[in-house]
Amino acid sequence: MNGALRKKLQGYVGFANLPNQVHRKSVKKGFQFTVMVVGESGLGKSTLVNTLFNAPLYPSKDHVLLSEESPKTVGIQVLSTDIEENGVRLKLNVVDTPGFGDFINNEESWKPILETIEGRFDSYLEQENRVNRSKITDLRVNACLYFIAPTGHSLKALDIEFMKRLHKKVNLIPVIAKSDTLTHEEIAAFKERILLDIAHHDIKIYHAQHYDSDDIETINETKDVMSKIPFAIVGSDKIIETPDGRHVRGRKYPWGAIEVDNEEHCDFVKLRQMLVRTHMEELREFTNDIHYENYRTEKLLVLGYQQDNTVFREVDPLAKLEEERALHEAKLVKMEQDMKHVFQQKVQEKESKLTQSEQELYTKHKEMKDALEKQRLDLEEKKRRIEQGRPITPEKTKKKGFGFAGK
Amino acid sequence: MSVEAEHSQPILQSYVGFDSITSQIEKKLLKRGFQFNVMVVGQSGLGKSTLINTIFASHLIDSKGRIQPDEASRQTVEIHSFTEAIVENGVKLRLNIVDTPGYGDQVNNENCWEPIIKYIKDQHSSFLRKELTAMRDRFIQDTRIHCCLFFISPTGHSLKPIDIVVLKKLTEVVNVVPVIAKSDSLTIEERIAFKHRIKEEMKFHNINLYPYASDEDDEQDSALNDSIQDLIPFAVVGSEKTIVVDGKTVRGRQNRWGVINVENENHCEFIHLRNFLTRTHLQDLIETTAMIHYETFRSKQLLALKENGQQ
């Protein structure tokens, strides 16, 4: 597409209506969004979910019966609701993680959470690989809200450990819980320290992208929202009366009343804006394009699939034919060369063998000739002796004479 | 004397003067000065150092939170002890504050309470040894912990498992006063429900908190103790900063939507805690440590020594 030419239209064609068609189709299909809330108990997770979607999704916690038994592992509870606004249906799934950070030993507390997220990736992967893919349910976690306790110092060891393990698998959005316990200067200092901690440990929290095609307003809006991360929030599903008589959602104290929907008081509005109004779709895309794809690549590599990059090359039929022919010819040439080589080898072998046997024959011949020569000389010697009338063995007489002389 | 006189006290016929013994004791004690040892236990970030500074109205200890990102978080619980002498109206108080940074801060907090329990027992043990030596000081310096302020995180739900375990162990060796930290995050209804829940849990787990009911208490004392029992755990807010409210400078916290006055009884129970610790029960805390906790420790130790000797 990079090489495509940009042509100017001469009249109205009508494909500018595409977004509306997509809109109609999506509204008919409905949307799905899965958000996970993680944090120590008592930080206001359930209340925040109720506040975000303005519906009593989580009932207030009834007092659990006192007992010696308490759960030993982090539980995973999923709440599914269908909510509708202006004809748009949203299937909202909230995954709660009761027990996280509440035990004496919290070393395994992120395991069930990690398993849930990966399990959902696995089920989506399996659905993608099925033969019949007409109905795929997307249960992947689109956002993870991590609740930080408002200590005012910096991140706890558990916070850092959890975030380090999950930032590559899910969109992490840290929030400062119950921030009405901190003054504004304390919140600003706390946020700074949290961001320093996050940068120090190379944790990648969710960061909205800027697109070149966005208008200035959207870019500024996004920048504004992102600058408030981690969001300092207060949640409330109760209506209170403020000192000046208004009825708003908030919390009432003897010293004042904090309004949840007031941007001056807390960052709840910004969080809702990002999560629901502007970046919900982007969070889903991020989950699909980045986190899910990374997981899929890792998983397939582990399973032994090799990366075959040739499937990415563009295919032109004529060129392919030429290529094949060239390949074939090359093969033939190679075969010819091979055969020549083999032939030469054989010839050399035979030659060397022949020279060897020639050598052998020659030496044998020489030997035999020498032996014959020796015999001939011998015979001649004997002949000479006989002609001179001497005994055949001259040495014996000599010896006899010697013996007599001795006596 | 008649038979009735044996059952009733003899009536003094003229002024003897032994009622001045109280002022004699007071003079002696003023010269000697008092020693009070308090320990603070709680997770990092609950405002322990700030609260101590607020109670004694001076900057005694610094917050030990981790500020720099490249600082590693503490791997074990440390015991830091500071001694300060503060004077008020001629009364000298030697204050020893024991801080326990690192408690409950790690991912795995198993046995994080052991250094704390060991420290408390060590103080008892060193006092016992000083008592038992042949040549001992006339006035042994008392480093035993008189009061342990236990900070509960304001979740609004219930006590955490680690809190329950540690409270059980602590109440066996020291006077424990539980405190709900940073209680400005709870509305009044939430605070009442939370306290109720905590008291239920303490009763369920048989956790015995100071003040202890005793048979020697008269009516006034038991009434006071009952009212304290109702208030425990104290919901406090600490602040070293001063703000101006209605023209008066008070210690408090200021937000864009309200101002918390630490010394206002309607806002938090700081006043009650301070009065309890310093104005009404200071002497009782010291005495209870000596008479109950120390004696329990002492008898256990001596029995164990005797058994070891016999073996």
Side-chain angles (χ1 to χ4, degrees):
Chain A
M1 283 313 256
N2 289 333
L5 301 165
R6 286 187 140 218
K7 284 237 135 92
K8 217 162 148 69
L9 296 175
Q10 282 154 351
Y12 178 69
V13 179
F15 60 79
N17 207 25
L18 269 172
N20 288 344
Q21 297 176 20
V22 174
H23 175 88
R24 271 216 321 268
K25 266 250 166 86
S26 334
V27 168
K28 239 190 350 181
K29 213 167 59 166
F31 297 88
Q32 205 172 164
F33 193 68
T34 308
V35 63
M36 179 182 259
V37 283
V38 182
E40 286 174 21
S41 94
L43 286 180
K45 305 186 290 290
S46 319
T47 313
L48 183 73
V49 173
N50 289 353
T51 322
L52 264 176
F53 295 100
N54 219 347
L57 301 170
Y58 278 107
S60 65
K61 286 203 166 51
D62 287 335
H63 279 201
V64 178
L65 288 172
L66 293 163
S67 67
E68 289 291 341
E69 292 296 316
S70 51
K72 294 283 181 264
T73 54
V74 177
I76 303 281
Q77 287 175 359
V78 183
L79 182 94
S80 273
T81 47
D82 281 302
I83 42 183
E84 189 180 320
E85 191 182 54
N86 282 350
V88 177
R89 279 176 300 121
L90 175 69
K91 188 163 165 55
L92 176 70
N93 303 314
V94 182
V95 182
D96 196 2
T97 54
F100 178 81
D102 288 339
F103 308 116
I104 295 180
N105 182 355
N106 291 310
E107 265 170 7
E108 301 280 299
S109 50
W110 48 76
K111 246 208 207 162
I113 299 174
L114 196 61
E115 276 170 16
T116 316
I117 294 178
E118 289 188 344
R120 283 159 184 252
F121 279 158
D122 276 336
S123 87
Y124 192 79
L125 183 63
E126 192 234 303
Q127 284 181 68
E128 257 195 346
N129 288 335
R130 275 206 296 235
V131 174
N132 184 359
R133 295 196 300 185
S134 50
K135 199 159 194 301
I136 298 187
T137 43
D138 185 2
L139 293 168
R140 298 171 294 185
V141 178
N142 300 118
C144 176
L145 289 175
Y146 188 76
F147 285 67
I148 299 172
T151 60
H153 294 316
S154 55
L155 286 180
K156 293 194 195 170
L158 179 64
D159 299 339
I160 296 174
E161 278 304 314
F162 177 84
M163 289 208 253
K164 264 171 51 171
R165 280 159 205 272
L166 261 85
H167 64 137
K168 293 258 164 76
K169 307 262 170 175
V170 73
N171 298 319
L172 260 183
I173 303 172
V175 294
I176 300 176
K178 294 197 170 178
S179 63
D180 51 348
T181 194
L182 298 167
T183 63
H184 280 265
E185 302 86 41
E186 289 170 351
I187 289 181
F190 191 34
K191 280 192 189 183
E192 222 183 276
R193 284 196 279 261
I194 291 178
L195 289 173
L196 275 177
D197 258 342
I198 285 179
H200 180 78
H201 289 273
D202 272 331
I203 294 171
K204 305 261 178 306
I205 52 174
Y206 173 69
H207 199 84
Q209 307 279 40
H210 297 304
Y211 298 107
D212 298 324
S213 54
D214 273 348
D215 50 354
I216 290 287
E217 207 184 278
T218 325
I219 294 182
N220 282 340
E221 231 183 77
T222 316
K223 265 205 208 139
D224 194 25
V225 162
M226 286 296 138
S227 68
K228 293 280 196 301
I229 284 188
F231 298 109
I233 53 171
V234 176
S236 172
D237 39 10
K238 295 199 188 52
I239 310 260
I240 55 159
E241 192 177 325
T242 58
D244 43 359
R246 288 172 293 133
H247 287 273
V248 285
R249 287 191 305 182
R251 290 170 66 73
K252 190 149 187 189
Y253 296 102
W255 51 85
I258 182 169
E259 297 165 43
V260 163
D261 293 302
N262 186 338
E263 279 196 47
E264 298 274 307
H265 290 187
C266 71
D267 295 332
F268 171 75
V269 174
K270 287 274 180 314
L271 169 67
R272 181 183 56 194
Q273 193 179 338
M274 190 192 91
L275 199 59
V276 180
R277 292 186 189 172
T278 50
H279 287 84
M280 196 184 245
E281 183 56 32
E282 201 170 299
L283 284 166
R284 281 216 323 223
E285 262 182 41
F286 242 65
T287 315
N288 190 33
D289 296 342
I290 298 181
H291 297 294
Y292 173 66
E293 286 302 316
N294 283 343
Y295 179 75
R296 186 174 170 278
T297 313
E298 255 179 56
K299 186 120 198 241
L300 292 184
L301 282 175
V302 161
L303 284 178
Y305 285 75
Q306 299 289 1
Q307 176 69 340
D308 180 16
N309 279 321
T310 57
V311 298
F312 296 122
R313 280 217 302 252
E314 297 249 330
V315 178
D316 178 19
L318 280 176
K320 199 144 195 227
L321 222 71
E322 278 293 328
E323 221 181 274
E324 278 186 13
R325 185 144 47 107
L327 265 175
H328 187 73
E329 281 198 15
K331 216 181 355 173
L332 286 175
V333 165
K334 192 161 185 282
M335 265 171 69
E336 197 182 317
Q337 276 188 347
D338 274 340
M339 280 166 69
K340 256 206 193 138
H341 188 72
V342 168
F343 179 72
Q344 267 184 8
Q345 246 187 347
K346 286 219 170 113
V347 163
Q348 264 182 7
E349 262 180 39
K350 208 61 185 248
E351 251 187 48
S352 64
K353 251 198 211 152
L354 284 173
T355 29
Q356 215 181 20
S357 40
E358 194 184 320
Q359 284 277 10
E360 278 178 15
L361 277 172
Y362 196 68
T363 30
K364 230 191 209 169
H365 172 78
K366 198 157 182 274
E367 268 179 30
M368 280 172 67
K369 202 166 147 193
D370 282 341
L372 271 170
E373 191 64 40
K374 196 162 174 261
Q375 261 189 12
R376 192 172 67 87
L377 282 173
D378 237 359
L379 280 170
E380 284 214 7
E381 175 78 29
K382 281 190 186 162
K383 187 172 147 191
R384 223 180 345 119
R385 285 220 187 97
I386 292 173
E387 280 178 359
Q388 284 177 3
R390 278 202 210 153
I392 300 181
T393 53
E395 294 90 43
K396 235 186 182 169
T397 43
K398 223 186 184 172
K399 223 182 182 178
K400 223 173 164 181
F402 202 77
F404 283 141
K407 222 179 193 161
Chain B
M1 297 242 200
S2 62
V3 182
E4 284 132 60
E6 284 171 54
H7 300 285
S8 61
Q9 289 169 339
I11 302 171
L12 299 172
Q13 275 139 7
S14 75
Y15 178 66
V16 179
F18 62 78
D19 62 351
S20 62
I21 191 167
T22 49
S23 47
Q24 293 172 30
I25 294 178
E26 205 182 302
K27 257 194 262 176
K28 265 270 165 70
L29 286 175
L30 276 178
K31 246 197 335 190
R32 204 183 290 159
F34 296 86
Q35 170 90 29
F36 187 57
N37 306 324
V38 63
M39 175 185 256
V40 282
V41 177
Q43 276 187 330
S44 174
L46 286 181
K48 305 188 287 291
S49 314
T50 312
L51 187 69
I52 291 287
N53 294 342
T54 321
I55 291 177
F56 294 101
S58 43
H59 188 84
L60 298 169
I61 50 181
D62 292 314
S63 164
K64 288 177 196 62
R66 184 175 68 90
I67 304 289
Q68 298 301 330
D70 39 6
E71 234 182 274
S73 42
R74 291 188 179 84
Q75 290 305 314
T76 53
V77 178
E78 297 163 9
I79 308 276
H80 293 183
S81 142
F82 308 87
T83 315
E84 289 281 343
I86 47 182
V87 180
E88 194 181 49
N89 282 348
V91 178
K92 193 166 59 160
L93 179 69
R94 255 192 316 274
L95 190 61
N96 185 19
I97 304 163
V98 181
D99 199 356
T100 56
Y103 166 83
D105 285 344
Q106 300 101 35
V107 180
N108 182 359
N109 288 314
E110 262 164 23
N111 299 332
C112 70
W113 51 84
E114 269 177 22
I116 301 174
I117 305 280
K118 183 170 182 304
Y119 181 81
I120 297 173
K121 287 199 176 158
D122 278 348
Q123 307 312 309
H124 284 305
S125 165
S126 86
F127 194 87
L128 181 64
R129 266 181 282 126
K130 286 197 198 129
E131 241 191 7
L132 288 178
T133 52
M135 302 263 297
R136 57 185 190 185
D137 296 331
R138 196 159 73 120
F139 182 57
I140 304 174
Q141 206 182 31
D142 189 1
T143 54
R144 300 170 296 188
I145 304 290
H146 301 130
C147 172
C148 176
L149 288 174
F150 188 82
F151 284 70
I152 299 173
S153 181
T155 59
H157 292 317
S158 57
L159 288 175
K160 295 193 188 185
I162 187 175
D163 292 340
I164 296 177
V165 171
V166 178
L167 274 171
K168 273 200 200 159
K169 295 208 187 273
L170 277 178
T171 46
E172 287 171 12
V173 290
V174 72
N175 298 323
V176 177
V177 176
V179 159
I180 300 179
K182 296 199 172 176
S183 63
D184 52 344
S185 72
L186 297 168
T187 61
I188 301 291
E189 305 92 46
E190 290 170 353
R191 186 196 289 180
I192 295 173
F194 190 36
K195 279 200 194 184
H196 183 74
R197 170 80 189 184
I198 291 178
K199 284 204 269 253
E200 261 181 30
E201 287 207 327
M202 305 266 204
K203 224 190 303 183
F204 180 78
H205 290 277
N206 285 330
I207 295 173
N208 201 7
L209 298 167
Y210 181 87
Y212 312 115
S214 101
D215 306 321
E216 291 173 4
D217 286 345
D218 58 7
E219 261 192 51
Q220 213 187 24
D221 281 341
S222 7
L224 183 61
N225 276 351
D226 279 339
S227 68
I228 299 285
Q229 294 275 14
D230 272 337
L231 274 179
I232 279 181
F234 296 99
V236 296
V237 175
S239 172
E240 290 187 70
K241 294 202 190 66
T242 53
I243 45 174
V244 180
V245 169
D246 293 335
K248 282 191 298 163
T249 358
V250 287
R251 287 178 296 178
R253 291 169 64 74
Q254 183 159 43
N255 251 318
R256 281 187 210 171
W257 38 276
V259 175
I260 304 170
N261 181 355
V262 164
E263 294 175 33
N264 184 336
E265 278 183 33
N266 295 328
H267 289 186
C268 71
E269 290 164 4
F270 169 76
I271 296 279
H272 297 287
L273 173 66
R274 189 196 48 198
N275 291 352
F276 169 75
L277 270 187
T278 56
R279 291 177 202 185
T280 53
H281 284 77
L282 187 60
Q283 176 56 24
D284 193 48
L285 280 165
I286 300 174
E287 233 178 76
T288 322
T289 311
M291 293 206 296
I292 300 183
H293 295 292
Y294 176 67
E295 288 301 313
T296 323
F297 175 81
R298 184 173 171 281
S299 48
K300 272 202 217 143
Q301 281 290 92
L302 292 180
L303 281 173
L305 274 173
K306 206 162 74 160
E307 274 177 33
N308 279 341
Q310 277 174 355
Q311 275 173 2

